[in-house]
Amino acid sequence: MLFTGDTLAEHDGAVIPGVFNTDRAELMRSIRSLSELDVGTLCFGHGEPVVCAAGTAMRRLVA
């Protein structure tokens, strides 16, 4: 289980970059690092948790 705070969010079932970050390049570096973790559940500061294939959802975002 990974609590991402404002790094990631959920919108309409999709994992998206957090919208409250001002440095987009640093945000994407952080997301790339997090996507290397083998997690089953993502919990966000905003949006519903992703409880199935959470690691895959993060890797899809950085691809």
Side-chain angles (χ1 to χ4, degrees):
M1 181 175 289
L2 177 65
F3 292 85
T4 67
D6 285 336
T7 304
L8 294 167
E10 178 272 337
H11 180 71
D12 290 336
V15 176
I16 62 170
V19 297
F20 299 110
N21 296 281
T22 57
D23 186 336
R24 180 77 173 182
E26 184 62 33
L27 172 63
M28 292 311 293
R29 279 191 290 278
S30 295
I31 294 171
R32 278 188 204 90
S33 292
L34 292 173
S35 74
E36 295 175 7
L37 300 173
D38 184 22
V39 297
T41 301
L42 287 173
C43 297
F44 313 102
H46 304 276
E48 295 297 317
V50 172
V51 297
C52 181
T56 301
M58 285 192 297
R59 287 186 286 281
R60 192 176 307 129
L61 178 62
V62 297

